[in-house]
Amino acid sequence: MTKKFLFFILLCIGVIILLVFKIGPSFEIGKHNSSNGNQESTTKSLNISNNDLYDLNYSLEAIRLLDALPSDKKDIIKKFKKINPNLSTDNLYNAWLYVNIANLLDIEPKHQRKVVGTVNEVQTSSGCFASNSKEEYSPKNKEQFILPTKMALDVYKSYGKPVPETAFKCLKETASELLNKQGKKSISYGDYLQLIKGVDNKFKNGFYFLSKKQYKKYLNKATQPLLNKQNSIKKLKVIMDIHSKFKNSEVNIDKNAVKEYIYSRQLQNGSFPIYDDKNNNADTLTTFYAVDIMKKKDIKVPKKIKLIKYLKDNVTAKLK
């Protein structure tokens, strides 16, 4: 009986050792992070959904613009550091959201191997980046890869990683094709312009993707169709973004018209609804856009106290 019992104990120990080596350590905040070689104290990780990352990011963006960061910022940072970002679907947007939140909180983003690995996975053969690893690059719709590529470059920069030159080459080719695009122009056409110029200003000399003359040509082609579109928060945001990236830009809109439209879209709690439809629920991205527009146009923010409460409650709820 004693020998059988001893054999059973040894067998159990062997199985446990085998499992440890097979499974390996789990990736949680607070455990040893092999990407930077630092040993950190073990803490319980906080899993957060993709929607929560979205709401947390844009709530903090709006709070920052309103100069209303909570007095318990240290507590927010402490909780955020426990976040284990869900990147299992190779979702570039989630990787960017996680890094951007860290930047908003003025802290260094963690999980370098995991986040940068996600970004590396979604680079296409063209050099541009896709939203996820299942999205295939097509020369027919190059423009849809501009935003993901911009996000990928932001992530690399935040971690101090070199940006692949192939990404810049792809954006340069895309910018040239958009410049020569014929036919009906949409709000997106203007949005692509400000995204490309933003990357150019941030990573190059401001005139790498297009020359000064070419940017002016693109701006002229985008201006009138954009101004002719029916007002929407998205349209106004694109106009403001173009105006902020191009000095002496004539792409502008009357302050009173902006004020009237923005005020008409606001909900009772101070937030703004998705698709500008007051029958819809509040949306943190649309709310951030609205606040950004008002700040850039020097428009008084109505229901400011309620709005700040809505935003802070959002932050608290997402970090429980």
Side-chain angles (χ1 to χ4, degrees):
M1 180 67 70
T2 303
K3 289 183 178 180
K4 287 184 178 180
F5 181 75
L6 180 60
F7 175 77
F8 176 75
I9 294 296
L10 291 173
L11 181 62
C12 289
I13 292 173
V15 170
I16 291 171
I17 292 173
L18 180 63
L19 286 173
V20 168
F21 279 97
K22 185 175 180 64
I23 296 173
S26 61
F27 190 87
E28 294 181 346
I29 292 181
K31 297 290 181 75
H32 176 67
N33 189 341
S34 59
S35 63
N36 56 23
N38 294 329
Q39 183 73 36
E40 299 167 357
S41 59
T42 301
T43 56
K44 185 179 179 182
S45 65
L46 173 66
N47 289 307
I48 187 167
S49 72
N50 301 340
N51 287 337
D52 285 347
L53 272 178
Y54 172 97
D55 284 333
L56 181 59
N57 178 74
Y58 293 113
S59 293
L60 286 171
E61 286 274 23
I63 286 172
R64 178 181 58 84
L65 290 175
L66 294 167
D67 295 320
L69 276 173
S71 56
D72 59 345
K73 181 182 175 182
K74 289 184 178 179
D75 186 51
I76 292 174
I77 291 174
K78 183 179 178 181
K79 290 179 179 178
F80 176 74
K81 285 182 175 180
K82 295 180 181 180
I83 286 180
N84 188 357
N86 177 18
L87 305 176
S88 58
T89 56
D90 297 328
N91 192 316
L92 174 60
Y93 191 28
N94 293 339
W96 179 84
L97 286 171
Y98 170 76
V99 170
N100 197 60
I101 293 169
N103 292 335
L104 289 170
L105 293 173
D106 298 317
I107 60 175
E108 291 186 6
K110 301 171 78 173
H111 297 309
Q112 180 173 303
R113 176 186 289 184
K114 187 177 186 181
V115 177
V116 173
T118 293
V119 175
N120 292 339
E121 283 291 318
V122 296
Q123 187 174 23
T124 67
S125 58
S126 70
C128 280
F129 291 77
S131 298
N132 58 71
S133 57
K134 295 180 180 179
E135 187 177 20
E136 294 184 4
Y137 180 82
S138 170
K140 294 181 180 179
N141 57 348
K142 284 184 177 181
E143 59 269 20
Q144 77 179 51
F145 295 88
I146 296 174
L147 179 57
T149 300
K150 180 262 183 194
M151 289 180 170
L153 303 193
D154 285 344
V155 172
Y156 282 135
K157 186 176 179 65
S158 292
Y159 284 109
K161 293 293 183 181
V163 175
E165 281 298 319
T166 51
F168 293 129
K169 182 181 178 182
C170 182
L171 285 178
K172 189 177 180 73
E173 292 173 354
T174 304
S176 180
E177 290 188 16
L178 282 170
L179 174 65
N180 298 313
K181 185 175 182 179
Q182 302 297 321
K184 189 176 180 180
K185 306 297 187 300
S186 63
I187 293 176
S188 295
Y189 188 71
D191 199 20
Y192 298 144
L193 170 63
Q194 68 86 15
L195 285 170
I196 289 170
K197 183 60 174 170
V199 174
D200 210 341
N201 291 345
K202 187 173 183 178
F203 292 91
K204 294 294 185 179
N205 61 4
F207 299 102
Y208 175 81
F209 300 127
L210 294 172
S211 67
K212 186 175 182 179
K213 184 177 180 180
Q214 287 175 318
Y215 270 124
K216 186 175 181 179
K217 180 181 176 182
Y218 192 149
L219 190 60
N220 290 337
K221 290 179 71 173
T223 300
Q224 204 53 51
L226 187 58
L227 293 174
N228 288 342
K229 292 289 181 182
Q230 184 177 353
N231 270 345
S232 68
I233 289 177
K234 174 64 177 177
K235 166 194 165 177
L236 296 175
K237 178 70 167 65
V238 170
I239 290 175
M240 293 297 100
D241 286 342
I242 290 176
H243 194 64
S244 67
K245 292 182 175 77
F246 289 89
K247 294 180 180 179
N248 303 319
S249 166
E250 296 180 3
V251 184
N252 215 330
I253 193 167
D254 179 68
K255 179 178 176 178
N256 289 328
V258 174
K259 178 180 176 180
E260 182 180 351
Y261 182 79
I262 293 290
Y263 280 19
S264 72
R265 299 296 93 197
Q266 193 174 33
L267 300 175
Q268 283 301 313
N269 66 351
S271 66
F272 291 81
I274 191 168
Y275 306 128
D276 301 7
D277 186 344
K278 296 184 77 170
N279 292 318
N280 289 332
N281 293 328
D283 174 57
T284 49
L285 173 59
T286 308
T287 300
F288 160 60
Y289 279 177
V291 172
D292 188 49
I293 293 164
M294 287 187 281
K295 297 298 285 187
K296 284 177 178 173
K297 292 295 284 185
D298 195 25
I299 295 172
K300 182 179 179 181
V301 179
K303 301 185 180 74
K304 187 174 180 179
I305 294 176
K306 288 184 177 181
L307 171 58
I308 291 174
K309 182 181 185 304
Y310 159 78
L311 295 168
K312 288 184 176 180
D313 286 349
N314 239 324
V315 172
T316 301
K318 305 312 173 187
L319 290 175
K320 277 187 177 180

